[in-house]
Amino acid sequence: MVILSSHVKNEVLEWRRSFVNINDSINLAACSQGALLKSVKKAFSKYQADQIEFGNPWDIWQQKVEELRSLIGKLINASKNEIAILPSVSASFSSLLSSIDFCKNDQIITTDLEYPTTNFISLAQKYRGVETVTVRNKNGIVSSSDYESNITDKTRLGTVIHVSSRNGTKFDLKEFTDILHQHGSYAYVDAYQSLGVLPVNVKNLNIDFLSSGTLKWLLGASGTAFLYAREEVAEKLHPTDIGWFSQQDPFQFGTEKLQYADGALRFQSGTWSVPSIYASIEGIKKILEIGQNKITRRIETLTSIVFDELTKNGFTVNTPESPENRGGIIAFEVSNPMKIEKLLRDKYKIFTSARGINLRISPHFYNTEEEVLKTMDALVEIRNKSL
Ligand SMILES: Cc1ncc(COP(=O)(O)O)c(C=O)c1O
């Protein structure tokens, strides 16, 4: 039985008031889509209201993009100039790779715990003569020594996923970025499964490039992601996967020359998904309002309960046991993950996320201990009754 102090309980209940219909279901799928904030719902309406009132309010839309860049900068300790807004993590990474002046036989080092988009985009560079080296995990973990032993003098860029979508394993970013830099390579981080769960300070971690979307733990919406590019590095790069918002003056009709915008803006593409930007601003504001350290502690409490209950009930958990080595995802084996995800949703109104051989439970700050325990009861019932 989980005993909560009344102070913590009241605080969680207060947080829950910010969400739409939070008591009608149990949302443990933040690794896929966070719960809906009332402010996010309102932001979508505001987008429509602005269109009705002002027709084509590009000036307001631009202000929203700028506001989002500032908020993301605050979230990861970067300057606004180091943030580009793009429609997806895939688009961000593609634009980044297009800017690296690879020579024939240069290498990218990656791992098999990355999100597949990172592997696909890296592998596609073979048409530019680039080889991708994929370091395989051993028992769900890629050690920094295995990673380092695969780096050669041809390695130009290494990718590190902060928290793996596949099994919830957390990488020690500083260890990996230091190794990459010692070998003269750029370090790219996919933080889609960690931002909103764990504080990330790009300066302390010495990260060159980082990308994330806002859909999951940042409580935003699909269609908005960003690329952080360290200012000194960005200025030297000339991406070819671009659009009009990558240039100093996007309105240069008939232009015969390129003039890249300053800093990270050079990685931008065309028109953003503006309704999603309105929404994403509100999601990030909520994360900053509650405080990243507080959220980390809360998620750690909940994931520890999930881990202990799953183990007690005989499930095979594929996420590392130590909270030090994981983020907000607990991945465990069930007979048919897609079927169980659907059953939990349709019969119990519990939202989880299937991935490969695993079902993933990913609690956020708004979840309660009672919700976690109810989910365990449902899982045990499904297994015992062979539903
Ligand atoms: C860790 C991680 N990286 C990248 C992606 C892909 O992001 P996008 O669809 O924005 O390209 C996902 C999507 O779920 C993800 O979980």
Side-chain angles (χ1 to χ4, degrees), residues 88-90 115 117 161 165 190 192-193 216:
S88 66
V89 166
S90 305
Y115 198 76
T117 204
I161 191 160
S165 313
D190 177 343
Y192 209 165
Q193 292 294 359
K216 307 170 194 289

Side-chain angles (χ1 to χ4, degrees), residues 214-232:
T214 64
L215 175 68
K216 307 170 194 289
W217 303 94
L218 292 178
L219 309 175
S222 61
T224 300
F226 72 90
L227 177 69
Y228 157 79
R230 193 144 61 87
E231 196 148 18
E232 313 86 87

Side-chain angles (χ1 to χ4, degrees), residues 347-348 379-387:
K347 182 168 156 57
Y348 300 90
L379 281 166
V380 170
E381 180 172 284
I382 288 170
R383 190 185 53 194
N384 291 350
K385 293 189 180 166
S386 304
L387 293 177

Side-chain angles (χ1 to χ4, degrees), residues 149-351:
S149 64
N150 280 281
I151 296 177
T152 70
D153 58 359
K154 291 281 186 191
T155 307
R156 297 290 305 282
L157 179 136
T159 78
V160 193
I161 191 160
H162 194 186
V163 174
S164 174
S165 313
R166 193 170 173 187
N167 65 357
T169 295
K170 177 178 135 196
F171 283 69
D172 182 333
L173 289 184
K174 186 78 170 63
E175 212 174 309
F176 282 79
T177 54
D178 281 353
I179 289 171
L180 286 164
H181 289 147
Q182 279 154 21
H183 291 272
S185 166
Y186 289 130
Y188 165 80
V189 172
D190 177 343
Y192 209 165
Q193 292 294 359
S194 63
L195 282 189
V197 180
L198 304 164
V200 175
N201 182 325
V202 288
K203 300 295 170 193
N204 290 350
L205 294 166
N206 211 4
I207 293 169
D208 299 308
F209 311 104
L210 175 143
S211 184
S212 173
T214 64
L215 175 68
K216 307 170 194 289
W217 303 94
L218 292 178
L219 309 175
S222 61
T224 300
F226 72 90
L227 177 69
Y228 157 79
R230 193 144 61 87
E231 196 148 18
E232 313 86 87
V233 184
E235 293 292 342
K236 293 186 219 143
L237 299 174
H238 300 103
T240 58
D241 181 352
I242 55 168
W244 50 311
F245 286 113
S246 70
Q247 297 296 298
Q248 291 277 357
D249 177 3
F251 293 104
Q252 286 275 322
F253 287 100
T255 189
E256 296 190 12
K257 67 174 193 317
L258 282 167
Q259 235 180 338
Y260 283 94
D262 294 339
L265 285 183
R266 68 194 51 219
F267 294 99
Q268 290 195 149
S269 179
T271 307
W272 304 272
S273 170
V274 181
S276 166
I277 287 179
Y278 275 60
S280 300
I281 286 171
E282 299 307 321
I284 295 176
K285 272 190 190 162
K286 181 56 74 180
I287 298 291
L288 291 170
E289 178 195 314
I290 291 180
Q292 298 194 76
N293 290 320
K294 200 173 236 184
I295 292 174
T296 304
R297 285 197 299 274
R298 176 77 193 140
I299 291 177
E300 192 178 310
T301 302
L302 292 169
T303 47
S304 294
I305 299 170
V306 175
F307 193 98
D308 293 347
E309 288 291 318
L310 286 170
T311 316
K312 197 175 85 189
N313 285 296
F315 289 95
T316 302
V317 182
N318 288 325
T319 303
E321 181 167 4
S322 161
E324 278 291 290
N325 298 326
R326 65 182 195 229
I329 301 173
I330 302 290
F332 59 102
E333 292 179 29
V334 288
S335 55
N336 184 341
M338 294 294 267
K339 186 181 145 203
I340 307 284
E341 178 195 302
K342 199 165 172 327
L343 189 61
L344 283 169
R345 187 191 66 194
D346 297 343
K347 182 168 156 57
Y348 300 90
K349 281 213 145 232
I350 297 173
F351 308 145

